[in-house]
Amino acid sequence: MATIQTIQVGLDKDTCEVLWKDGHTGRFHAKWLRFNCRCEQCVSPIPGVYTINIPLFPDDLSLISASVDCEGKKLQTEYKGEILPEHKTVHPANWLRSKCYCDACLDSKIAKRDVISRYVTSNDGERNVRKMQYKTLLDDEDIGLYRLLKDVVEAGVCLIQNVPTEERKVVEIAKKIAYIEPTSYGKMYDIYVRDSENVAYTNLMLPLHQDQVSSEIAPGIQLLHTMRFDKSVTGGESIIVDMFEAVEVLRVESPEDFRTLVEVPGCWLTEDPSAGRYFEHHKCHIQLDYFGKVAAVNWNATTFSTPQVRDKDVNRYYKAYTTLSNITRRKSMQYCFKLEPGDLIVFNNRRMAHARKGYELNGGTRHLQGTYIKLDDMKSKYLALCRKLEKNVVPPKIGNNCSF
Ligand SMILES: [Zn+2]
Ligand SMILES: [Zn+2]
C-alpha cells in the first residue's frame, strides 16, 4: 500500500512532486494529473470509456494547489484553466504509484514486461524447444493451457507431444485458446506434397520465414499438427530461429546494420494468380518502440521481393540484410528438430522464423495441418488464465508492435 508523505508544487506550477513514505519520489505534470483524474465524475462507470474532453482545456493549464489527506492515501489538486465547475481532481496514492512515470519506475516496468529479453538472456544457449504432453491439457485444461501459453509468451514456442492424429484436431486445440484467425488460405490448411505453385506444398527446402509477411499484419500464433511423417521420409527437419534474439545480436555486433534495418523498408510479395492472391507489403525488418526496444521483426526469405527505396539506401540495405541473414544461419541460433506424428507445435509467428529442410517421400507421406490465432487473443487468454489461477504477472511484451 503506497502512502504519500509530502508533496510540492513546482515554481512553474506545471508539476507536482510526490514523496512517498518508502522514500520514492515521483513527479507528475499538471496535464497528466488532470487528464487522468480518478474522481467519480471523470472515471466512467463503464470500464474503458474515457470521458475527459482534452481539447476544451487551455494549453497553459497549471496547478493552483495540491493537498494530501491525513492518511496520505489521496492526492487532491486544483487547476487554473479547469473547465468543470466545482471539480476537484483526485488520485488514490496506490493508483498514482502504480502509474508513476519517473525513470526508475518506467525502467522497472519495461524490464518486467520484457519477457523475451529475459528468456533469451537466461536461455544460455539452450536450443531445445520446450515440450509438454497432450495429456497435460486433458488433465486440467486451465493449468495445461496456462503452461502452454506461458512457454509461447516467454520462449516463443512450445511443442505438444502425443496429440491424437485426428482430422482438424489442430483447430479444436486452437479454439481452446481463441477464435481462429482466418487468412486467404482459409481457417485451416493442409501441408503435403502436391502440384502447387506454393513452395510450402512441395518437398523443396523452405528458407527461414515468418508466415505471410507480405500481408499488412502477419498471422500471430501458428499451430502446426503433424498428422503423418512416415519413417521412409528422409529429410524434412524443422529449424526455428528467434528473430528477436537475432536482431539483438545484430544490434550488438553491427549497430550500423541494425539502424539500417530500422530505417529502410524491405518488400514482400505473394502473387498467386491461380488462387487470386496478390499481397505486397513494404515495411522495415525491425520496428522499435518509443523506448528503443524491438517491438516487431519481419523476416521472410521466400516472399522477399524488390525494395523501392532511395538511391542512397540501396547498398546499405542489402549489406544489413546479409549481415542479419548470416546471423540467423549460425548453428548457435537455430533450434533444429524433426517432427513426429502427434507433435503439435505452437509458436509466435511474429517472433520466431521457421524453415524446413527439403525431403524425399520414398513412397511415404508427410502431412501437417495448420491454423492461426491472433497474437493479441493469445495474450488476452494468457492474462485471463493468470488471473484465474492467481499467478501474479504483468502484461508481457510479445512482439506485436506494442510500445510498452
Ligand atoms: Zn475528475
Ligand atoms: Zn517512480
Side-chain angles (χ1 to χ4, degrees):
M1 295 295 272
T3 306
I4 297 171
Q5 181 128 323
T6 56
I7 51 164
Q8 188 170 16
V9 174
L11 288 176
D12 58 2
K13 307 285 185 198
D14 182 40
T15 54
C16 177
E17 200 168 79
V18 175
L19 172 67
W20 273 278
K21 218 166 193 164
D22 64 0
H24 188 78
T25 307
R27 208 164 69 104
F28 301 90
H29 289 78
K31 281 179 180 160
W32 188 95
L33 287 168
R34 179 60 190 91
F35 299 156
N36 291 286
C37 177
R38 308 306 292 164
C39 84
E40 281 181 12
Q41 203 177 348
C42 294
V43 175
S44 165
I46 306 166
V49 176
Y50 188 72
T51 64
I52 301 169
N53 198 339
I54 292 175
L56 293 184
F57 285 82
D59 188 49
D60 59 357
L61 185 77
S62 58
L63 283 154
I64 295 172
S65 69
S67 59
V68 187
D69 68 344
C70 51
E71 283 105 37
K73 295 296 178 201
K74 199 165 76 179
L75 173 70
Q76 188 169 299
T77 44
E78 287 181 76
Y79 300 83
K80 178 169 167 264
E82 175 60 62
I83 58 165
L84 298 180
E86 308 291 315
H87 178 264
K88 291 201 188 331
T89 297
V90 292
H91 292 93
N94 270 341
W95 185 92
L96 200 59
R97 181 61 182 268
S98 75
K99 300 290 180 190
C100 180
Y101 55 93
C102 75
D103 284 345
C105 285
L106 275 185
D107 289 346
S108 154
K109 283 186 263 196
I110 291 166
K112 279 187 190 141
R113 284 170 177 250
D114 187 4
V115 294
I116 297 179
S117 296
R118 206 156 59 233
Y119 174 77
V120 167
T121 320
S122 64
N123 182 24
D124 201 22
E126 179 211 344
R127 283 292 176 263
N128 293 314
V129 169
R130 292 187 182 182
K131 298 182 180 78
M132 67 181 280
Q133 295 299 316
Y134 178 61
K135 191 177 170 300
T136 313
L137 275 179
L138 296 180
D139 289 347
D140 184 317
E141 190 167 305
D142 282 348
I143 291 173
L145 282 178
Y146 165 74
R147 167 68 224 286
L148 168 68
L149 299 187
K150 186 174 189 298
D151 280 351
V152 174
V153 163
E154 292 175 358
V157 54
C158 183
L159 183 73
I160 313 173
Q161 294 178 307
N162 297 308
V163 178
T165 51
E166 294 160 13
E167 277 287 314
R168 304 186 67 79
K169 192 74 182 173
V170 68
V171 171
E172 183 193 313
I173 291 177
K175 279 181 170 171
K176 290 180 192 294
I177 305 169
Y179 290 112
I180 301 296
E181 181 180 11
T183 68
S184 68
Y185 297 89
K187 287 187 172 178
M188 193 197 80
Y189 47 90
D190 287 275
I191 298 172
Y192 58 88
V193 176
R194 54 188 179 273
D195 186 21
S196 170
E197 287 173 7
N198 187 330
V199 68
Y201 303 146
T202 67
N203 64 339
L204 299 175
M205 185 271 285
L206 211 48
L208 202 63
H209 68 283
Q210 292 161 296
D211 277 15
Q212 299 184 44
V213 176
S214 55
S215 299
E216 57 179 353
I217 301 172
I221 299 293
Q222 183 165 17
L223 297 95
L224 271 177
H225 184 201
T226 317
M227 302 289 284
R228 277 184 70 176
F229 202 142
D230 295 352
K231 290 263 180 283
S232 65
V233 179
T234 49
E237 290 87 352
S238 303
I239 293 165
I240 286 188
V241 171
D242 186 343
M243 292 306 295
F244 273 67
E245 181 177 8
V247 299
E248 289 301 348
V249 171
L250 180 73
R251 181 174 355 217
V252 171
E253 292 184 1
S254 188
E256 199 182 307
D257 290 329
F258 181 89
R259 179 53 46 197
T260 297
L261 295 184
V262 168
E263 291 172 352
V264 185
C267 171
W268 290 269
L269 177 71
T270 301
E271 225 175 19
D272 186 353
S274 58
R277 254 184 222 113
Y278 295 90
F279 291 98
E280 178 189 340
H281 207 258
H282 298 249
K283 59 193 143 210
C284 291
H285 290 267
I286 305 169
Q287 288 163 289
L288 298 184
D289 68 15
Y290 168 78
F291 298 102
K293 287 246 177 201
V294 176
V297 178
N298 297 295
W299 191 262
N300 188 318
T302 308
T303 57
F304 186 63
S305 190
T306 313
Q308 295 287 283
V309 298
R310 299 287 181 199
D311 176 273
K312 66 180 173 52
D313 290 325
V314 172
N315 284 335
R316 72 169 177 130
Y317 172 73
Y318 281 117
K319 175 182 172 288
Y321 179 91
T322 303
T323 311
L324 179 56
S325 183
N326 285 336
I327 289 171
T328 66
R329 283 160 207 253
R330 290 179 192 165
K331 285 279 168 285
S332 62
M333 295 297 300
Q334 299 184 340
Y335 296 80
C336 190
F337 54 96
K338 193 161 185 171
L339 290 167
E340 290 181 18
D343 282 353
L344 194 157
I345 192 155
V346 185
F347 60 94
N348 180 345
N349 180 58
R350 302 241 286 279
R351 170 177 169 190
M352 315 304 272
H354 58 291
R356 172 190 77 201
K357 293 187 180 173
Y359 59 98
E360 292 301 330
L361 291 175
N362 304 315
T365 294
R366 182 186 188 271
H367 177 204
L368 310 181
Q369 288 193 320
T371 190
Y372 304 109
I373 53 178
K374 283 200 170 85
L375 207 43
D376 217 21
D377 287 348
M378 183 279 296
K379 179 177 154 187
S380 169
K381 177 74 178 181
Y382 173 65
L383 290 174
L385 283 168
C386 288
R387 184 167 281 210
K388 194 171 170 187
L389 299 171
E390 296 178 352
K391 311 278 182 189
N392 186 21
V393 297
V394 294
K397 218 166 153 59
I398 49 172
N400 63 348
N401 229 337
C402 181
S403 200
F404 186 55

